[in-house]
Amino acid sequence: MSNSMIEETKNFILPEEGGDSAGRRLLEDLFDSRTFAETGRFVGRTSSPGDRSGVITGYGSVGGRLVFAFAEDRSRMKAASDEAAGRKICDLFETALENGAPVVGIFDSDGVALRDGISSLTSIGKLASASAAAAGRIPRIALIGGVCGGIEAAVASSFDFVITLKTDKGGSDLFAVPPFSSETSIDPSADGISCIGAKSEEEAAIAARKIISLIPGRRSEALTVSDSGEQDRSPDLSGLTGYALCEAVSDPGGCLPLFADYSKGLAIALAQVGGVGCFVAAGDREVSGGALTRSAADALCRCVRFADAFGIPLVMLTDCPGTVPTDGSPAYLRALSDLAAAVSSASCPRITAYVGRAYGAGYLLLGSKATGADAVFALTDAAVGALSPETSVAFLWNEKIDGEETTREKLEAEWRKTEASPAEAAAIGEIDDIVAPDELRPRIVSAVYMLLGKRRGRGRRL
């Protein structure tokens, strides 16, 4: 190339470099230093070829792994989307599918390019189609860096992992209907749209990098074991609940909470267990008494479906008294129905430990052998039954109460010791072993390793 051509190229590149936007900053924080390579860099807008496209697309290394990304760049006409932007995103998804690598989408746009008329909707349609075609084949992670509204918000919310921002200066503005025309507003974390609510752009990028490090890059990728140096750790799990229990079972520093502001009564995390990326869920007695709430059922269902599509192990630490007795809503019934379908059909590696109460729906939906669990353990003081001891005594032993020597409290204690003992379930093969609290983590790690090569019907699409 001649020197004059090189100078012309420099002059063409430089005027648009240096624009500041959340999309650009998040790309810089997400990728390993100096590894991001932009694709379609000089693609112009459909109606104004002299202006650069409002979306940046490219690929690079995240923790040494190949990752593709697109980012809406507000420094380019507020990232208004047009047909050219949609075409760039479609090309990116196609290349990511061919290479079996995750796609990260960074959203921050005022919407479509209205001056382009109906053709301006093409970009959103192409994004929706490309994302749907990739579902269950490669992971999709959405970072909502700023404004994301209308149909684009619906598409972004359909990604496998959604990370939003909530900072002192603002953050993610996610909505289906513009806030100025609606009396309702969305809190993405509390309403369950996002699985992680970050307090800064750097924190959001770190969360995305953590997710990528713990999941396969594609549907057919075999699980790997990282050298965590903590495979033989044996913490005492006595008295732990919720996220503390998830962390105790996981490798140090390898536990990323999901749906922390949404999943009530059930702590869910993406974690490294014995060097293997797993979903870990643990009942939380301190919230709703650990009952299986609608939000918990919904959040867990989404994690189970992703785990099943990509063959990721599910570790259930069950301490649940059953369903919420005061919630008779249709939405609750649908959430339980969806969870039952997801759990019963999941063929990814599944390990369950009854660490407390496992009654009724809590027993069935949170990891029983009846719904397909591969390995089931119970702590020595766990309680397993069709109903709680209180309800069981009321139905079956109520006539034994004389108000003097035989009280209701004594009968409930007896029921728990005899009829609800894990030994009863172990005797009919529903529990593989009964272990002490300090033996549980090594047994879980061993089961994860045993199931690494599981192939039975693995890998259904989302």
Side-chain angles (χ1 to χ4, degrees):
M1 183 181 290
S2 66
N3 290 336
S4 61
M5 292 179 66
I6 292 175
E7 289 303 317
E8 288 178 7
T9 302
K10 285 181 179 180
N11 292 334
F12 181 58
I13 294 173
L14 289 176
E16 287 222 355
E17 297 300 316
D20 184 48
S21 68
R24 287 178 177 271
R25 294 191 298 270
L26 284 166
L27 280 177
E28 184 175 351
D29 290 337
L30 174 67
F31 284 94
D32 299 340
S33 179
R34 302 181 66 82
T35 66
F36 181 73
E38 189 172 348
T39 59
R41 186 175 185 180
F42 301 114
V43 173
R45 291 184 174 277
T46 304
S47 60
S48 180
D51 294 323
R52 218 59 88 69
S53 170
V55 64
I56 301 169
T57 57
Y59 60 89
S61 170
V62 176
R65 301 182 63 183
L66 174 64
V67 173
F68 290 80
F70 66 87
E72 294 174 333
D73 182 6
R74 291 186 66 83
S75 70
R76 299 174 179 177
M77 296 177 64
K78 297 184 179 180
S81 298
D82 64 354
E83 189 274 337
R87 188 170 64 250
K88 287 181 68 175
I89 293 174
C90 274
D91 291 343
L92 181 87
F93 267 103
E94 183 177 346
T95 307
L97 284 167
E98 290 173 347
N99 287 274
V103 169
V104 176
I106 300 173
F107 295 85
D108 183 14
S109 168
D110 276 4
V112 297
L114 295 178
R115 292 181 180 178
D116 293 351
I118 194 66
S119 66
S120 64
L121 296 177
T122 301
S123 61
I124 307 301
K126 286 183 177 293
L127 169 59
S129 298
S131 178
R137 298 169 66 185
I138 56 175
R140 303 160 301 157
I141 301 170
L143 292 173
I144 314 299
V147 179
C148 184
I151 297 301
E152 186 175 60
V155 175
S157 299
S158 73
F159 276 41
D160 303 307
F161 298 91
V162 180
I163 302 171
T164 52
L165 294 171
K166 191 172 184 178
T167 69
D168 295 337
K169 298 181 180 179
S172 303
D173 189 7
L174 192 69
F175 56 85
V177 179
F180 58 79
S181 64
S182 172
E183 295 181 358
T184 61
S185 60
I186 294 175
D187 183 334
S189 296
D191 294 333
I193 295 173
S194 67
C195 62
I196 296 174
K199 296 180 180 179
S200 66
E201 292 176 358
E202 293 78 9
E203 186 177 310
I206 290 172
R209 289 176 62 89
K210 186 69 172 179
I211 291 171
I212 291 168
S213 73
L214 292 170
I215 61 176
R218 61 183 180 276
R219 178 172 174 255
S220 59
E221 185 174 316
L223 297 173
T224 58
V225 182
S226 302
D227 183 11
S228 67
E230 295 287 342
Q231 281 84 338
D232 58 350
R233 188 168 60 90
S234 303
D236 189 338
L237 308 181
S238 299
L240 298 180
T241 189
Y243 285 112
L245 187 54
C246 291
E247 291 178 344
V249 170
S250 306
D251 302 340
C255 189
L256 179 67
L258 303 177
F259 300 105
D261 297 326
Y262 177 65
S263 181
K264 305 302 182 184
L266 184 71
I268 303 174
L270 186 60
Q272 185 171 277
V273 180
V276 179
C278 302
F279 281 101
V280 181
D284 190 347
R285 287 174 173 258
E286 297 178 0
V287 181
S288 302
L292 184 57
T293 61
R294 182 193 64 79
S295 60
D298 175 48
L300 181 60
C301 179
R302 286 146 69 178
C303 293
V304 170
R305 286 175 174 163
F306 183 84
D308 190 33
F310 293 91
I312 301 172
L314 286 169
V315 178
M316 301 297 305
L317 306 172
T318 305
D319 181 9
C320 177
T323 55
V324 179
T326 57
D327 191 347
S329 67
Y332 187 33
L333 181 59
R334 285 194 296 270
L336 293 176
S337 174
D338 289 344
L339 177 59
V343 168
S344 300
S345 62
S347 58
C348 56
R350 295 173 57 192
I351 300 100
T352 298
Y354 297 125
V355 298
R357 306 151 298 166
Y359 305 143
Y363 167 79
L364 283 175
L365 299 182
L366 301 183
S368 67
K369 284 212 168 188
T371 53
D374 299 292
V376 179
F377 308 106
L379 294 184
T380 51
D381 60 350
V384 180
L387 296 171
S388 68
E390 294 81 7
T391 305
S392 298
V393 168
F395 272 112
L396 301 175
W397 286 1
N398 204 53
E399 71 281 358
K400 295 183 179 183
I401 301 172
D402 60 17
E404 297 177 0
E405 293 185 2
T406 307
T407 63
R408 184 176 300 277
E409 290 73 19
K410 288 183 179 180
L411 287 176
E412 290 172 356
E414 182 181 348
W415 184 281
R416 181 182 178 91
K417 183 178 180 180
T418 57
E419 303 298 327
S421 167
E424 295 296 316
I428 60 173
E430 290 298 308
I431 292 175
D432 292 307
D433 202 358
I434 301 172
V435 300
D438 61 350
E439 296 175 353
L440 184 56
R441 179 185 138 86
R443 296 301 299 273
I444 289 174
V445 171
S446 176
V448 169
Y449 291 166
M450 180 269 291
L451 294 165
L452 284 178
K454 181 181 177 184
R455 289 292 185 273
R456 188 183 67 198
R458 175 189 165 196
R460 69 172 50 221
R461 288 286 306 280
L462 291 173

